[in-house]
Amino acid sequence: MSAQPDHATVTPYAPAPGAPAELLDRLRDDRRAPQWVPAFEREWTAALEESRRTFSLAALYDTLQVWQARLASAPAVDAFVASGHDDAAFVEATELRSRRR
């Protein structure tokens, strides 16, 4: 008998060790840096505290994935807004939500 499991476990998303610093550099280069950099730093600090408390990297990985997706989708959002569709109420609500964080 072996103490090893007979099935493969699912490996969670594991970013490269330098991914948080690279993401922060990319956020600093974005036109939204005045809002996004402090928000990312707050969320990253909270995720670090959660990781220390739980001995899990999940909060760090989740925070990194969310901000990578946010940065990746920014050009599409900009293009939509620039297209002239009247979505002012939605944009204002989104901006208000992001300011509260």
Side-chain angles (χ1 to χ4, degrees), residues 6-29:
D6 60 353
H7 62 281
T9 58
V10 176
T11 304
Y13 164 77
E22 291 171 12
L23 176 62
L24 187 54
D25 286 342
R26 290 179 55 211
L27 289 171
R28 286 182 177 138
D29 290 340

Side-chain angles (χ1 to χ4, degrees), residues 77 80-81 84-92:
V77 172
F80 177 77
V81 171
H85 289 85
D86 186 14
D87 63 341
F90 175 76
V91 171
E92 288 173 13

